[in-house]
Amino acid sequence: MKRTVALLDYDGYICKAYYAGLKENEQFKVLSDLVQSAIDRTAEYFNVDKDDVELIRVISGHTFKKDIYPSYKLTRKKDENLGKFREYIKYKLRDELTCVQNLEADDVLILLQKHLNTEDNCIVFSDDKDLRYYSYRYCKLNTDNEVQTNDLEAIMNIYAQMLAGDSEDNVKGIPRMGMKTALKYLNENINPDEDIIKTVIRCYRDKGIDIDNCLRDILLVLPIGCMYLKDFDTPLLLTTGLLEPEQGLDIDRISARMISDQLISLNKIVKEVYLEKMD
């Protein structure tokens, strides 16, 4: 029997609940209402009973990307009180939260929804624009938003963002190149016989931008679960051996596999980038 799952980007839920309930001191009520709305929307979308909806609350660990590039997300404003609220929620729900130590929530959500969309029904709930691009079924946190579905063409947004950058995450990209221009460039210059990543690298090279900056932007933009480069020996797809239905979600095994595959993939990207530099 198929499971019905609501995958929650819980960092977003905590942030939204904190600010929405700040004036009336009702952060906990807002958080509860937001979670209930995700259950309601999932049950309505898949036409199942609300009690049959399984919740998976995912929060971020410490991302390895900050270890490689300390400037990653450095421009984001920090609210000390929001941080305390998040730590309290983490403590209260410590047995109900899914957290992989070295990965951001979106990395884990992307991989989990890949598996669940193969075997079950799921919706990713988040206000994160990247998850909007990369999730097959996606819904914002506001209760009046409809569930969106993406096709495989949405994956092009990943490569476009490598060119355009991401101001929210302090990823520079190519100056004066927005997402529309980046998508147009990719569509006009893609070679069907090679990986799109090579088109990205050529664009940086043609613009005279240092290849080190190209590598930085590729690594900071690329989510672990979205490695579609066809030349990779180890594609990042969860196998059925990692997620046995009777065992539930073995996050420790998933984490070990993802990080191992990520290192292999990053090594291949580095080689690809610097081979272009030598040409």
Side-chain angles (χ1 to χ4, degrees):
M1 181 178 178
K2 283 192 173 185
R3 285 186 298 172
T4 301
V5 182
L7 287 171
L8 308 186
D9 177 10
Y10 216 62
D11 289 314
Y13 276 80
I14 291 171
C15 183
K16 194 173 189 70
Y18 174 77
Y19 287 113
L22 194 58
K23 289 185 178 180
E24 304 298 328
N25 197 27
E26 291 188 343
Q27 290 98 329
F28 298 102
K29 181 182 183 303
V30 174
L31 184 58
S32 177
D33 289 346
L34 285 171
V35 171
Q36 186 59 52
S37 71
I39 296 172
D40 295 344
R41 181 55 54 87
T42 304
E44 178 185 13
Y45 187 87
F46 292 114
N47 193 26
V48 299
D49 191 274
K50 295 177 185 180
D51 293 336
D52 293 331
V53 175
E54 177 183 348
L55 284 180
I56 300 179
R57 300 174 172 92
V58 180
I59 63 169
S60 291
H62 172 76
T63 173
F64 71 94
K65 292 180 180 180
K66 286 187 178 180
D67 295 330
I68 302 173
Y69 297 107
S71 62
Y72 182 53
K73 295 188 176 181
L74 190 63
T75 54
R76 289 196 177 188
K77 294 181 180 179
K78 295 183 179 180
D79 185 321
E80 182 179 348
N81 291 325
L82 170 60
K84 291 178 180 178
F85 180 65
R86 182 179 186 271
E87 289 303 311
Y88 180 74
I89 295 297
K90 282 178 63 179
Y91 173 76
K92 290 287 288 184
L93 298 179
R94 56 191 178 277
D95 296 328
E96 301 176 34
L97 297 176
T98 295
C99 180
V100 176
Q101 184 177 358
N102 292 314
L103 299 176
E104 294 179 276
D106 57 352
D107 288 319
V108 180
L109 286 164
I110 290 166
L111 283 161
L112 291 180
Q113 67 100 22
K114 274 188 177 183
H115 171 78
L116 292 167
N117 274 327
T118 301
E119 304 292 338
D120 305 288
N121 293 318
C122 77
I123 300 172
V124 173
F125 289 88
S126 175
D127 283 341
D128 189 310
K129 69 179 187 311
D130 295 341
L131 285 168
R132 181 188 69 213
Y133 291 154
Y134 313 146
S135 301
Y136 179 67
R137 295 188 191 91
Y138 167 92
C139 188
K140 286 192 172 183
L141 305 189
N142 288 334
T143 57
D144 58 346
N145 279 278
E146 296 296 326
V147 176
Q148 303 174 31
T149 58
N150 281 327
D151 55 28
L152 291 178
E153 291 183 3
I155 203 69
M156 288 293 291
N157 287 289
I158 301 173
Y159 299 99
Q161 199 153 64
M162 292 175 189
L163 298 176
D166 186 346
S167 59
E168 289 184 18
D169 290 343
N170 200 30
V171 181
K172 302 301 183 182
I174 295 175
R176 296 179 296 280
M177 179 173 283
M179 284 293 287
K180 289 183 178 179
T181 303
L183 285 167
K184 181 180 178 182
Y185 176 89
L186 290 173
N187 288 323
E188 291 177 351
N189 291 277
I190 284 175
N191 182 339
D193 296 325
E194 65 180 20
D195 287 323
I196 303 175
I197 199 77
K198 293 183 179 180
T199 309
V200 172
I201 295 167
R202 280 199 301 272
C203 185
Y204 273 85
R205 184 188 61 193
D206 294 345
K207 297 290 184 181
I209 298 175
D210 189 273
I211 206 71
D212 293 331
N213 293 336
C214 172
L215 178 63
R216 176 199 63 205
D217 293 346
I218 290 172
L219 299 189
L220 292 182
V221 166
L222 192 62
I224 287 176
C226 289
M227 295 262 186
Y228 285 100
L229 309 185
K230 60 189 176 186
D231 289 340
F232 278 17
D233 296 329
T234 311
L236 288 170
L237 298 175
L238 293 179
T239 64
T240 54
L242 289 175
L243 293 171
E244 298 292 345
E246 65 272 13
Q247 296 176 352
L249 298 168
D250 190 338
I251 296 301
D252 289 336
R253 293 183 67 201
I254 294 170
S255 173
R257 171 65 180 275
M258 287 192 299
I259 293 172
S260 174
D261 283 355
Q262 178 73 348
L263 291 174
I264 294 171
S265 301
L266 294 182
N267 182 51
K268 289 180 177 291
I269 289 178
V270 171
K271 287 182 178 179
E272 193 68 65
V273 169
Y274 284 96
L275 281 174
E276 286 286 330
K277 185 176 184 179
M278 293 170 63
D279 288 346

